[in-house]
Amino acid sequence: MTTTTSELAISATGLRKAYGDKTVLDGIDLHVPAGTVFSLLGPNGAGKTTAVQILSTLIGADAGDLRVAGHDLATDGQAVRAAIGVTGQFSAVDNLITGEENMLLMADLHHLPRREGRRIAAELLERFDLTEAAKKPASTYSGGMRRRLDIAMTLVGSPRIIFLDEPTTGLDPRSRHTMWNIIRGLVAGGVTVFLTTQYLDEADELADRIAVLNGGKLVAQGTASELKRLVPGGHVRLRFTDPATYENAASGLREATRDDESLSLQIPSGGSQRELRAILDWLDAAGIEADELTVHTPDLDDVFFALTAHPLTTAAPADATQKETVR
């Protein structure tokens, strides 16, 4: 289904940024539907943070048609800033004051009336499970608590679009999962989230669409499932304990790769139900029973390494949706 410009929270066409002779973003296109999570992946130095800084009006672009919340970044930056919130890689929390004072400071920056500011601060502190710690200095907070406070501060102005630049870096697994639930809750409430992350499982878990940035160029974009299908290597593995049964299966499944030491066969497969059923039907018809059957499909780690491990060519970036239609 085609998304119209009016349905896009973020639209960037031909986005370019260079510092001297180093091109950081080389004419990339990003289109983020409203009310979704869009994740930008890439190795360190790929240009992820630069993209966030440009789209959130912190720095200017060298070129590109850029619109955020329906406003042109080049001519209406103030309207863009009124519609967005930004949580950067490094916390904006002031550790010398309490959590509540941090919230009230944000309310003042948004020019909210004192009573309304206190009401919103209290509601957000409760929503992010920080009420008990509200009167304590932020310096006493754990990393997860500081990150929750950081996002709560971002929400004081009720932004429709939130940029989260590596929001869970350095958090323990429990705090990361808490943050994931917070992000899901934001999107359920109609907020658009632009997420950069180095954790591929995070993008897989949260993102409606993912783009992979490498060397300033977009090398692929699509849903997590679409991106996984871009990478070969999916297979079904059959393992046997009886050598004779293993040999019978190997002679009938000539496309399989043998592993004589473990008595296993690896059959190329995209992991679809149809392919799996065909293998099971053949085993049944041949009267062969495998002791173990496992299905492996490429994950986002495989996609990431395949797309970013080699120098870029001049080929156009892979659009997973288009590739799927001709597969």
Side-chain angles (χ1 to χ4, degrees):
M1 183 175 67
T2 303
T3 304
T4 65
T5 303
S6 62
E7 296 171 326
L8 294 173
I10 300 168
S11 175
T13 304
L15 172 55
R16 305 184 71 88
K17 182 67 177 179
Y19 294 99
D21 59 357
K22 179 175 175 54
T23 300
V24 181
L25 296 171
D26 193 4
I28 68 171
D29 297 340
L30 297 172
H31 304 291
V32 183
T36 65
V37 178
F38 181 90
S39 184
L40 189 60
L41 303 181
N44 288 334
K48 303 187 301 296
T49 295
T50 299
V52 169
Q53 289 175 333
I54 290 172
L55 294 173
S56 60
T57 76
L58 293 176
I59 62 175
D62 295 336
D65 181 8
L66 313 175
R67 301 186 70 84
V68 174
H71 305 289
D72 191 321
L73 258 72
T75 61
D76 208 357
Q78 187 61 39
V80 171
R81 287 187 284 275
I84 68 172
V86 182
T87 299
Q89 289 184 30
F90 305 102
S91 174
V93 172
D94 187 337
N95 288 321
L96 299 178
I97 60 178
T98 68
E100 182 182 54
E101 287 168 339
N102 271 283
M103 295 294 291
L104 294 176
L105 177 60
M106 288 301 296
D108 288 342
L109 291 174
H110 283 282
H111 306 293
L112 297 179
R114 182 172 296 274
R115 179 175 294 181
E116 183 181 357
R118 288 193 170 278
R119 176 185 62 79
I120 291 175
E123 289 176 356
L124 287 169
L125 287 167
E126 181 178 0
R127 178 179 174 184
F128 286 88
D129 196 23
L130 292 168
T131 301
E132 289 186 14
K135 302 291 187 182
K136 298 177 182 178
S139 59
T140 66
Y141 288 14
S142 67
M145 291 170 67
R146 270 197 299 273
R147 215 53 171 142
R148 296 205 308 274
L149 178 59
D150 207 7
I151 293 183
M153 290 164 62
T154 300
L155 294 179
V156 167
S158 301
R160 291 181 287 154
I161 301 167
I162 297 179
F163 293 91
L164 298 179
D165 193 9
E166 300 187 14
T168 62
T169 297
L171 297 186
D172 62 76
R174 184 181 298 277
S175 295
R176 285 183 66 211
H177 280 272
T178 298
M179 192 62 61
W180 290 1
N181 288 332
I182 288 171
I183 292 171
R184 292 189 188 101
L186 291 172
V187 176
V191 173
T192 303
V193 174
F194 188 106
L195 170 72
T196 75
T197 180
Q198 294 188 22
Y199 298 118
L200 303 181
D201 60 328
E202 185 162 274
D204 202 355
E205 185 75 25
L206 296 174
D208 297 289
R209 286 186 67 81
I210 298 167
V212 182
L213 192 62
N214 187 35
K217 292 180 180 288
L218 279 183
V219 292
Q221 56 184 316
T223 66
S225 296
E226 289 167 350
L227 290 180
K228 291 171 187 176
R229 288 197 288 269
L230 292 177
V231 179
H235 62 267
V236 173
R237 182 175 181 269
L238 303 175
R239 191 182 65 80
F240 303 86
T241 55
D242 178 54
T245 304
Y246 166 68
E247 288 295 339
N248 287 338
S251 63
L253 296 168
R254 296 189 180 277
E255 76 277 19
T257 301
R258 299 173 57 122
D259 184 340
D260 294 340
E261 185 175 345
S262 64
L263 299 182
S264 64
L265 300 173
Q266 185 171 299
I267 306 164
S269 169
S272 69
Q273 182 178 339
R274 176 180 54 80
E275 291 174 310
L276 186 59
R277 184 182 294 116
I279 294 170
L280 294 173
D281 287 346
W282 183 88
L283 290 171
D284 284 342
I288 295 173
E289 184 172 341
D291 294 281
E292 183 181 292
L293 182 152
T294 55
V295 179
H296 172 80
T297 55
D299 56 22
L300 279 185
D301 283 29
D302 299 318
V303 174
F304 184 86
F305 290 127
L307 294 175
T308 64
H310 304 291
L312 290 170
T313 68
T314 56
D319 185 301
T321 307
Q322 293 178 356
K323 188 149 189 160
E324 178 64 12
T325 62
V326 297
R327 186 167 62 92

